[in-house]
Every structure is written in C-alpha cells, then in structure tokens.
Amino acid sequence: AFYSMGDHTTGTGNMMVVNGGGQANTAWSQSVAVTAGTQYDLSAWAANVCCDATFNFNFPGSGLELIIMDGVTSTSIAAGSTGLAGVWNKLSGNWTATSTGNVTVAILNTVTALNGNDFALDDISMTAVSNTPVPASLLLLAVGLLGFGTVRRR
C-alpha cells in the first residue's frame, strides 16, 4: 500500500524506501572523516510513502532524527515538518567538528508504530562550509595597502 512516487532529484532515479518496524532503529548511517573546527552542512530529503498516514518529521525524538555520533556524544541537528504521503521534506542542520577523525552520520527512525511508519530517503549529503569570515579590519588593511602601492608607484 506504499504511495507511488519518484525520487527527489529527477523523479525517475533511485531512492531508499524504509519499511519501519516496531522499535526505534537506524535507517541509514555512514562513517565520514571530519576536520576539527570545520562547520558541516548535513542534509537529506525524506517523504512519507505509506497510505494516507501522516509521518511525523518533527525532531528530535519523534520521527526521523538526523544525528552525528563522534564516539562520545550524539548531536541531533535536524528540524523538519509533518510529511504527507508523496511530499518530500528537507531535513538539514549545521554541525561543527570538535576533533579531527571519523564520525558516524546517521538517520534514526524513532517512531515505533507498526503501521504508517514507512518513508523514503534521498539526496543525503554532508558538505564543509566556510565558517571563518574575513574580519572587516583585514579587508580595510588590504584596500589601504593596495591604495598605498598605487600612490607610491606614481
């Protein structure tokens, strides 16, 4: 009785469909190398695929939870919305690595209902984002030095 739908990217590609069970479990996980001090953007697309049931994508603790596990702590980073059948919902959040090494990125299904606990996942990504803006004082210094060099050459 799954809802007939295409993947998030093209509508004709691959996606992962999960038939949820009666206990909370990991729907997907992968080990990823990270660098201390770097901010990462983690995102995925999820959709309810079951009947007319409404799957809860609100986080954390009730629905799908996007987390980072570094061997010491687990950090929930996602926020979402209620998912009607066949509607893709973006799950995303930012996280800053506190140490260099491997972490486990996971999507947890915390729903324990046997019926209506079925969803699709697509376009899971984790990308480093620049989190060190150039201070205005450095920009002014650079502009000033360029101006000084131009004047001096004349």
Side-chain angles (χ1 to χ4, degrees), residues 6 50 58 63 68 70 95 129 135 150:
C50 182
N58 292 318
I68 301 282
D70 64 7
W95 173 78
V129 286
T150 303

Side-chain angles (χ1 to χ4, degrees), residues 48-102:
N48 172 12
V49 297
C50 182
C51 2
D52 292 326
T54 299
F55 191 88
N56 187 356
F57 291 121
N58 292 318
F59 307 103
S62 60
L64 295 182
E65 190 173 336
L66 204 48
I67 67 165
I68 301 282
M69 295 178 283
D70 64 7
V72 180
T73 59
S74 294
T75 306
S76 296
I77 63 168
S81 61
T82 301
L84 300 174
V87 178
W88 287 102
N89 293 268
K90 185 173 185 179
L91 319 177
S92 66
N94 290 323
W95 173 78
T96 302
T98 56
S99 61
T100 298
N102 289 334

Side-chain angles (χ1 to χ4, degrees), residues 28-49:
W28 171 90
S29 70
Q30 181 173 332
S31 179
V32 179
V34 296
T35 304
T38 301
Q39 184 179 37
Y40 294 90
D41 176 59
L42 179 59
S43 67
W45 287 85
N48 172 12
V49 297

